Every structure is written in structure tokens, then in C-alpha cells.
Amino acid sequence: MSRPHAATLVFDYADSTAARLVAASVRQELDDIEGDRTRATLTRSENSIEVRVTADDLTALRAGMNTWFSLVEVAESVAEV
């Protein structure tokens, strides 16, 4: 099923080690926090990670984006990046 709303969040880091650490920390959440109205994918390339959130409606999209911003923020804080 195609979801009509999407947003891409890009997080840049000083080096690939930091990007890899944050990506590994949040990647495990992909299947655990998905709902009926949202979906997310995560990719990493060198010094950045990209989270693409798709949703059935704008409210779900906003909630999904807030969730991923929070997850990344916690991972960064714990990793001290």
C-alpha cells in the first residue's frame, strides 16, 4: 500500500564512526515502533543517516517524525556525538 505523505530526515555527523553508531542504535527500532498508519526506513552513507517516514495522513506523519527525532537525539546523547 502506498502512503501519500512522506518526509526525509537527514542527520550529518563528523565522521563515519559516529554515523554508524547512531544508525545501529536506532535501526533496531524500525520494526518495533511501526504503526498501522506510519512506516520508516533508515539508510546510512558515510557520515550521515537518513530516515524516511511515510504515513497515511499528516497527523501520523508528524507523530512519526517526532518519534524519529527523539530516538536519534537520545542515541546521539548516549553516544556523545
Side-chain angles (χ1 to χ4, degrees):
M1 176 170 118
S2 175
R3 298 183 188 273
H5 303 285
T8 302
L9 312 173
V10 179
F11 304 91
D12 294 316
Y13 299 95
D15 55 52
S16 62
T17 301
R20 184 174 31 256
L21 183 59
V22 172
S25 296
V26 297
R27 180 171 275 123
Q28 62 192 354
E29 303 296 335
L30 283 172
D31 294 329
D32 290 341
I33 62 169
E34 297 302 329
D36 293 338
R37 296 166 40 208
T38 63
R39 197 98 187 120
T41 59
L42 184 142
T43 55
R44 185 184 69 81
S45 61
E46 288 303 312
N47 298 357
S48 67
I49 62 174
E50 180 178 296
V51 178
R52 180 162 171 79
V53 180
T54 57
D56 291 340
D57 56 76
L58 292 175
T59 301
L61 181 63
R62 185 185 67 203
M65 290 174 57
N66 287 339
T67 296
W68 284 99
F69 272 127
S70 295
L71 288 171
V72 170
E73 183 178 45
V74 168
E76 289 172 348
S77 175
V78 170
E80 296 179 355
V81 296

